[in-house]
Amino acid sequence: MAYKITDACIACGSCEPECPVEAISAGDDKYVIDPEKCIECGACANVCPVDAPQPE
Ligand code: SF4
Ligand code: SF4
């Protein structure tokens, strides 16, 4: 289980510095979460303006 960033992502970058385990990085057209690193803390979802990060 991990959070996943959906297509709603507008690539604003707000979530990246909030992740305590540096699981978030910029992808081609949206940000992506490394499921091997994500600890499901929800910090990214809390700062996202469009609710793109969702628990899988
Ligand atoms: Fe990082 Fe937490 Fe978001 Fe997982 S849920 S990507 S650990 S901020
Ligand atoms: Fe995408 Fe939301 Fe992260 Fe911004 S905060 S880069 S919209 S997932």
Side-chain angles (χ1 to χ4, degrees):
M1 290 287 288
Y3 272 62
K4 184 178 168 93
I5 294 176
T6 67
D7 288 343
C9 176
I10 55 173
C12 71
S14 298
C15 56
E16 186 179 0
E18 298 300 323
C19 181
V21 294
E22 298 182 356
I24 304 173
S25 59
D28 288 339
D29 52 3
K30 64 187 180 98
Y31 276 62
V32 293
I33 293 171
D34 181 345
E36 300 290 321
K37 292 182 179 173
C38 178
I39 57 172
E40 296 181 71
C41 71
C44 52
N46 288 340
V47 298
C48 181
V50 294
D51 277 340
Q54 297 287 335
E56 282 200 289

